[in-house]
Amino acid sequence: LLFGSLSLGFMLTETKKQPLDIPGIFYFNSLLLMASSILLHRGYTQRIKKGKPALLLPSVVLGIGFLMSQIYAWYLLFSQGFTIDSSGQKVAYLYMLTGVHALHLVGGLLFLVYVLAKYNKKGRKYFEVATFFWHFLGVLWIYLLAVLTLNAG
């Protein structure tokens, strides 16, 4: 509901200042997050066969790469003059949507690190939940990217 209402606000807000162009790095970010999700899924299915957390660490590294790229995307927007206080509501919604997603991603990364660190004790039973949540974040990002791209101008 949170992302749906923020998306609706973004779509209904008019751009009164300079047109908003979505940075190309947002698309690169998508590839990082999809690769991370694919690795995590493969790791989960291998875990069932081999009994160990395969590919969990590379998934976490790609997720961190997504966050670093996201920070760089915000820097690019900011350096082009797209600030929250001077660029209008559309830009504020963009920062809000991507920022709230990033916060959820940080939570997901912390959960994945917990699963990795405690794998032999408690982590094994949480691996499936962490994988499901990570896939949800990936699908959510694709949705947000579509909303941002189709309604930016």
Side-chain angles (χ1 to χ4, degrees), residues 45-121:
T45 57
Q46 287 178 8
R47 179 214 48 102
I48 293 171
K49 295 176 186 170
K50 297 180 181 177
K52 54 186 174 178
L55 301 174
L56 186 54
L57 185 58
S59 298
V60 169
V61 170
L62 285 171
I64 292 170
F66 174 89
L67 282 176
M68 295 295 107
S69 294
Q70 192 67 31
I71 291 168
Y72 182 66
W74 293 329
Y75 167 77
L76 289 175
L77 285 168
F78 191 79
S79 66
Q80 293 172 7
F82 291 109
T83 60
I84 293 174
D85 58 344
S86 65
S87 297
Q89 292 177 336
K90 196 96 162 164
V91 173
Y93 273 113
L94 179 136
Y95 282 117
M96 180 79 74
L97 282 165
T98 58
V100 171
H101 181 266
L103 286 175
H104 281 80
L105 202 86
V106 167
L109 281 170
L110 291 173
F111 193 26
L112 289 174
V113 168
Y114 173 81
V115 169
L116 185 61
K118 302 287 185 180
Y119 187 75
N120 290 327
K121 295 179 182 174

Side-chain angles (χ1 to χ4, degrees), residues 4 9 15 19 28 31 52 58 80 85 98 103 114-115 124 126 128 140-141 144 146 148 152:
T15 304
F28 174 74
L31 295 175
K52 54 186 174 178
Q80 293 172 7
D85 58 344
T98 58
L103 286 175
Y114 173 81
V115 169
R124 185 172 294 173
Y126 297 124
E128 183 176 13
L140 180 61
W141 176 252
L144 291 177
L148 294 173

Side-chain angles (χ1 to χ4, degrees), residues 14-26:
E14 291 185 29
T15 304
K16 294 183 179 167
K17 306 219 178 203
Q18 67 191 65
L20 175 62
D21 291 324
I22 302 302
I25 196 163
F26 276 18

